Short mmCIF file of all heavy atoms in Angstrom, two decimals:
data_model
loop_
_atom_site.label_atom_id
_atom_site.label_comp_id
_atom_site.label_asym_id
_atom_site.label_seq_id
_atom_site.Cartn_x
_atom_site.Cartn_y
_atom_site.Cartn_z
N ASN A 31 132.67 86.78 -4.77
CA ASN A 31 132.39 85.69 -3.86
C ASN A 31 132.16 86.27 -2.50
O ASN A 31 133.08 86.96 -1.96
CB ASN A 31 133.56 84.71 -3.84
CG ASN A 31 133.30 83.47 -2.97
OD1 ASN A 31 132.27 83.38 -2.27
ND2 ASN A 31 134.18 82.51 -3.03
N GLN A 33 130.27 85.22 1.32
CA GLN A 33 129.53 84.22 2.10
C GLN A 33 129.32 84.74 3.51
O GLN A 33 130.16 85.45 4.05
CB GLN A 33 130.31 82.89 2.11
CG GLN A 33 130.52 82.30 0.71
CD GLN A 33 131.20 80.98 0.70
OE1 GLN A 33 131.00 80.13 1.57
NE2 GLN A 33 132.04 80.72 -0.32
N GLN A 37 128.86 81.20 13.63
CA GLN A 37 129.61 80.35 14.55
C GLN A 37 128.86 80.36 15.89
O GLN A 37 128.74 81.41 16.52
CB GLN A 37 131.05 80.86 14.76
CG GLN A 37 131.89 79.90 15.60
CD GLN A 37 133.37 80.30 15.58
OE1 GLN A 37 133.73 81.48 15.51
NE2 GLN A 37 134.25 79.29 15.63
N GLY A 41 131.33 76.89 18.98
CA GLY A 41 132.41 76.95 18.01
C GLY A 41 132.08 76.41 16.63
O GLY A 41 132.85 76.54 15.69
N GLN A 42 130.92 75.77 16.48
CA GLN A 42 130.56 75.18 15.18
C GLN A 42 130.28 76.28 14.16
O GLN A 42 129.55 77.23 14.44
CB GLN A 42 129.33 74.31 15.34
CG GLN A 42 128.86 73.65 14.05
CD GLN A 42 129.81 72.61 13.50
OE1 GLN A 42 130.44 71.88 14.25
NE2 GLN A 42 129.92 72.56 12.19
N ASN A 45 127.71 77.52 7.19
CA ASN A 45 127.56 78.39 6.04
C ASN A 45 126.09 78.78 5.90
O ASN A 45 125.22 77.92 5.78
CB ASN A 45 128.07 77.65 4.79
CG ASN A 45 128.09 78.54 3.58
OD1 ASN A 45 127.08 79.13 3.23
ND2 ASN A 45 129.23 78.62 2.94
N TYR A 48 125.68 81.90 0.32
CA TYR A 48 126.64 82.31 -0.70
C TYR A 48 125.93 83.37 -1.50
O TYR A 48 124.93 83.08 -2.16
CB TYR A 48 127.05 81.12 -1.57
CG TYR A 48 127.83 81.53 -2.81
CD1 TYR A 48 129.19 81.75 -2.72
CD2 TYR A 48 127.21 81.69 -4.04
CE1 TYR A 48 129.92 82.11 -3.84
CE2 TYR A 48 127.93 82.05 -5.17
CZ TYR A 48 129.28 82.26 -5.07
OH TYR A 48 129.99 82.63 -6.17
N ASN A 94 137.63 80.66 -6.82
CA ASN A 94 138.86 79.91 -6.68
C ASN A 94 139.93 80.65 -5.91
O ASN A 94 141.10 80.32 -5.99
CB ASN A 94 139.41 79.54 -8.08
CG ASN A 94 138.51 78.55 -8.75
OD1 ASN A 94 138.06 77.61 -8.15
ND2 ASN A 94 138.22 78.77 -10.00
N TYR A 95 139.53 81.64 -5.16
CA TYR A 95 140.51 82.39 -4.41
C TYR A 95 140.14 82.31 -2.93
O TYR A 95 139.00 82.17 -2.59
CB TYR A 95 140.56 83.85 -4.85
CG TYR A 95 141.80 84.56 -4.47
CD1 TYR A 95 142.95 84.45 -5.25
CD2 TYR A 95 141.84 85.31 -3.31
CE1 TYR A 95 144.09 85.11 -4.86
CE2 TYR A 95 142.99 85.98 -2.93
CZ TYR A 95 144.12 85.85 -3.69
OH TYR A 95 145.28 86.48 -3.33
N TRP A 99 138.21 87.01 5.70
CA TRP A 99 137.16 87.03 6.71
C TRP A 99 137.13 88.35 7.45
O TRP A 99 138.17 88.90 7.79
CB TRP A 99 137.38 85.88 7.68
CG TRP A 99 137.21 84.54 7.08
CD1 TRP A 99 137.99 83.97 6.14
CD2 TRP A 99 136.17 83.59 7.37
NE1 TRP A 99 137.52 82.70 5.82
CE2 TRP A 99 136.40 82.46 6.55
CE3 TRP A 99 135.08 83.57 8.23
CZ2 TRP A 99 135.58 81.33 6.56
CZ3 TRP A 99 134.26 82.45 8.24
CH2 TRP A 99 134.52 81.33 7.43
N GLN B 37 141.81 79.70 13.43
CA GLN B 37 141.09 80.81 14.05
C GLN B 37 141.73 81.09 15.41
O GLN B 37 141.57 80.35 16.37
CB GLN B 37 139.61 80.47 14.25
CG GLN B 37 138.84 81.66 14.81
CD GLN B 37 137.36 81.34 15.01
OE1 GLN B 37 136.99 80.23 15.25
NE2 GLN B 37 136.51 82.34 14.88
N LEU B 43 138.73 83.71 10.51
CA LEU B 43 139.51 82.57 10.08
C LEU B 43 140.56 82.93 9.06
O LEU B 43 140.34 83.77 8.19
CB LEU B 43 138.56 81.52 9.46
CG LEU B 43 137.86 80.60 10.44
CD1 LEU B 43 136.81 81.30 11.26
CD2 LEU B 43 137.27 79.41 9.72
N PHE B 90 140.20 74.55 12.09
CA PHE B 90 139.03 73.99 11.44
C PHE B 90 139.38 73.32 10.15
O PHE B 90 140.25 73.75 9.38
CB PHE B 90 137.99 75.09 11.12
CG PHE B 90 137.22 75.59 12.29
CD1 PHE B 90 137.58 76.76 12.92
CD2 PHE B 90 136.14 74.88 12.76
CE1 PHE B 90 136.86 77.25 14.01
CE2 PHE B 90 135.41 75.34 13.85
CZ PHE B 90 135.77 76.53 14.47
N GLY B 99 137.93 76.22 -5.48
CA GLY B 99 139.08 76.74 -4.79
C GLY B 99 138.74 77.09 -3.35
O GLY B 99 137.66 76.76 -2.87
N PRO B 100 139.63 77.76 -2.68
CA PRO B 100 139.40 78.05 -1.28
C PRO B 100 138.19 78.95 -1.03
O PRO B 100 137.75 79.07 0.10
CB PRO B 100 140.66 78.73 -0.83
CG PRO B 100 141.45 79.03 -2.04
CD PRO B 100 140.94 78.16 -3.14
N GLY B 101 137.64 79.49 -2.06
CA GLY B 101 136.39 80.25 -1.90
C GLY B 101 135.21 79.34 -1.77
O GLY B 101 134.13 79.76 -1.43
N ASN B 104 130.09 78.11 -5.38
CA ASN B 104 128.75 78.55 -4.99
C ASN B 104 128.00 77.48 -4.20
O ASN B 104 126.81 77.54 -4.10
CB ASN B 104 127.97 78.99 -6.21
CG ASN B 104 127.82 77.88 -7.22
OD1 ASN B 104 128.37 76.81 -7.02
ND2 ASN B 104 127.10 78.14 -8.30
N GLY B 106 129.56 76.57 -1.15
CA GLY B 106 130.04 76.81 0.21
C GLY B 106 130.75 75.58 0.78
O GLY B 106 131.07 74.64 0.08
N PHE B 109 131.79 72.75 7.61
CA PHE B 109 132.89 72.76 8.55
C PHE B 109 132.77 71.64 9.60
O PHE B 109 131.68 71.22 9.96
CB PHE B 109 132.87 74.09 9.33
CG PHE B 109 133.54 75.22 8.63
CD1 PHE B 109 132.81 76.05 7.79
CD2 PHE B 109 134.90 75.46 8.78
CE1 PHE B 109 133.40 77.10 7.14
CE2 PHE B 109 135.51 76.51 8.12
CZ PHE B 109 134.77 77.33 7.29
N SER B 111 133.88 70.45 13.59
CA SER B 111 133.70 71.14 14.85
C SER B 111 134.98 71.74 15.41
O SER B 111 134.98 72.41 16.42
CB SER B 111 133.09 70.21 15.88
OG SER B 111 133.88 69.05 16.03
#
Side-chain angles (χ1 to χ4, degrees):
Chain A
N31 183 354
Q33 300 183 36
Q37 186 170 34
Q42 179 68 35
N45 186 306
Y48 169 83
N94 291 317
Y95 199 84
W99 293 66
Chain B
Q37 184 181 30
L43 277 70
F90 283 101
N104 60 356
F109 277 91
S111 57

